[in-house]
């Protein structure tokens, strides 16, 4: 058994390299694969990450143990039939983590703060008819409104946290846009209607290289924009969108469509 300690992993891979000249390492994506990859590349060992969606023989095995999994992976790898996961270069992978942090963490926190702030105001049957409750005009109204000692404390706390998140998002956005200006693919995607430089960067980092998709339909299937279709003989029954999808990419496309309908073509909102 190998413990997940960096020194122990490095010593183990070194021992393998000493025993044989040509080593090919197949990894399961279980959380530590990035550490193994970095150490393997450092030692000059070829390594790939298994694509679990395409190795169903392991998932459906009646006898499923680590020993069985490693046997099947090694056999697939030996004959060159191990389906690999697409891996971004390390710098882009780190940038992808930061972009997800911007959208999925900071932006979500800010949205939750704004919702909680509006709900707090509603407790006293008061509303602020401002789209951005953390904008200057809305904040001026909030400072004048008194909700009582307890709710005023919560209101002020939410405002402080919300303003901090707003400033941090602006600071991080500038940094990410500076990085996006150096990536040609992100700039190309940003020219699409509804996309900005930041959402273009996010879209590129999620799909990686466009060359990995053989046809436009492959990219559509990856995102999850393909509707369900049942066909038998001459009978064809269309359905709703498939459930298996890339939720973050679909969300980016949805945000782009909202921007188009709000700013350029309100009549497209029906679609």
């Amino acid at each position: 058994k190998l413990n997940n300690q960096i020194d122990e992993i490095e010593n183990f891979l070194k021992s393998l390299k000493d025993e044989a000249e040509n080593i090919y390492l197949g990894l399961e994506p279980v959380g530590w694969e990035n550490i193994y990859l970095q150490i393997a590349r450092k030692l000059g060992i070829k390594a790939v990450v298994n694509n679990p969606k395409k190795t169903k023989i392991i998932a459906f095995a009646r006898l499923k143990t680590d020993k069985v999994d490693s046997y099947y992976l090694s056999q697939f790898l030996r004959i060159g039939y191990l389906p690999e996961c697409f891996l971004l270069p390390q710098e882009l992978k780190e940038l992808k983590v930061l972009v997800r942090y911007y959208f999925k963490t900071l932006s979500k926190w800010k949205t939750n703060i704004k919702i909680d702030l509006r709900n707090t105001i509603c407790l006293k049957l008061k509303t602020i008819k401002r789209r951005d409750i953390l904008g200057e005009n809305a904040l001026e109204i909030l400072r004048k409104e008194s909700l009582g000692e307890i709710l005023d404390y919560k209101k002020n706390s939410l405002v402080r946290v919300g303003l901090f998140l707003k400033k941090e998002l602006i600071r991080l956005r500038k940094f990410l846009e500076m990085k996006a200006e150096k990536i040609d693919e992100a700039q190309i995607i940003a020219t699409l209607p509804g996309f900005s430089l930041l959402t273009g960067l996010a879209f590129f980092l999620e799909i990686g290289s466009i060359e990995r998709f053989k046809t436009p339909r492959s990219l559509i299937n990856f995102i999850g924009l393909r509707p369900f279709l049942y066909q038998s003989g001459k009978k064809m029954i269309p359905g709703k969108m498939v459930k298996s999808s890339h939720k973050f990419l679909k969300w980016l496309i949805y945000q782009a469509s909202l921007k188009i309908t709000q700013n350029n073509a309100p009549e497209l909102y029906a679609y």
Side-chain angles (χ1 to χ4, degrees), residues 4-267:
N4 287 329
Q5 301 292 332
I6 294 177
D7 293 338
E8 191 170 339
I9 295 170
E10 190 168 354
N11 292 332
F12 172 72
L13 294 180
K14 280 181 180 178
S15 65
L16 290 179
K17 191 176 181 183
D18 293 337
E19 293 178 6
E21 293 183 3
N22 298 322
I23 300 176
Y24 207 2
L25 192 64
L27 301 169
E28 276 192 296
V30 292
W32 273 71
E33 67 277 1
N34 288 327
I35 302 296
Y36 279 87
L37 275 174
Q38 291 182 40
I39 297 174
R41 288 169 178 171
K42 177 182 173 183
L43 297 174
I45 298 174
K46 294 180 179 179
V48 296
V49 179
N50 159 53
N51 189 331
K53 290 185 177 180
K54 296 183 179 180
T55 50
K56 294 182 180 179
I57 190 172
I58 296 176
F60 294 157
R62 291 187 179 183
L63 180 63
K64 190 180 187 306
T65 63
D66 290 343
K67 188 174 182 180
V68 172
D69 292 355
S70 60
Y71 171 77
Y72 280 120
L73 287 177
S74 61
Q75 293 303 313
F76 285 143
L77 193 61
R78 181 179 62 83
I79 62 177
Y81 274 88
L82 182 68
E84 299 178 22
C85 287
F86 174 78
L87 299 174
L88 284 168
Q90 186 61 30
E91 185 179 357
L92 291 180
K93 187 183 293 184
E94 293 172 0
L95 189 58
K96 178 180 177 180
V97 171
L98 189 59
V99 169
R100 285 189 171 188
Y101 171 67
Y102 176 91
F103 284 106
K104 292 190 171 186
T105 304
L106 292 184
S107 294
K108 189 175 289 186
W109 285 352
K110 181 188 170 187
T111 300
N112 290 337
I113 288 291
K114 291 166 74 173
I115 292 172
D116 200 355
L117 189 54
R118 288 192 182 277
N119 291 339
T120 302
I121 296 170
C122 288
L123 289 174
K124 288 294 183 179
L125 302 177
K126 297 179 180 179
T127 58
I128 295 180
K129 295 180 180 179
R130 298 286 179 182
R131 188 174 180 183
D132 185 6
I133 200 168
L134 292 174
E136 293 182 5
N137 295 330
L139 288 175
E140 187 176 348
I141 298 173
L142 279 173
R143 293 188 188 100
K144 296 177 181 178
E145 294 285 350
S146 178
L147 306 177
E149 182 182 4
I150 296 175
L151 292 181
D152 272 347
Y153 188 92
K154 183 183 179 183
K155 176 192 72 174
N156 294 332
S157 176
L158 288 170
V159 168
R160 285 194 298 271
V161 176
L163 290 177
F164 170 77
L165 290 172
K166 190 175 181 179
K167 291 178 181 178
E168 188 61 28
L169 282 165
I170 293 172
R171 189 181 299 114
L172 182 54
R173 185 184 185 94
K174 290 180 179 179
F175 175 78
L176 292 174
E177 286 178 343
M178 180 182 67
K179 291 291 183 180
E181 289 174 354
K182 301 177 182 178
I183 301 175
D184 294 337
E185 293 87 346
Q187 295 184 53
I188 293 171
I189 297 172
T191 61
L192 296 173
F195 277 85
S196 65
L197 196 57
L198 183 55
T199 52
L201 174 65
F203 196 91
F204 163 68
L205 292 174
E206 292 297 327
I207 65 172
S209 174
I210 193 66
E211 296 174 356
R212 58 190 283 235
F213 302 101
K214 295 181 180 180
T215 62
R217 180 172 291 185
S218 299
L219 177 58
I220 291 172
N221 291 341
F222 177 75
I223 298 172
L225 296 178
R226 175 177 60 86
F228 171 80
L229 179 65
Y230 173 82
Q231 187 268 332
S232 179
K234 296 182 179 180
K235 186 178 181 181
M236 296 184 67
I237 304 176
K240 298 180 179 179
M241 290 289 183
V242 292
K243 291 185 178 180
S244 57
S245 62
H246 196 303
K247 293 182 179 179
F248 186 45
L249 281 176
K250 287 181 76 173
W251 180 84
L252 288 173
I253 293 173
Y254 173 70
Q255 293 299 315
S257 64
L258 282 182
K259 189 176 290 186
I260 293 172
T261 56
Q262 289 172 357
N263 299 334
N264 301 321
E267 64 276 4

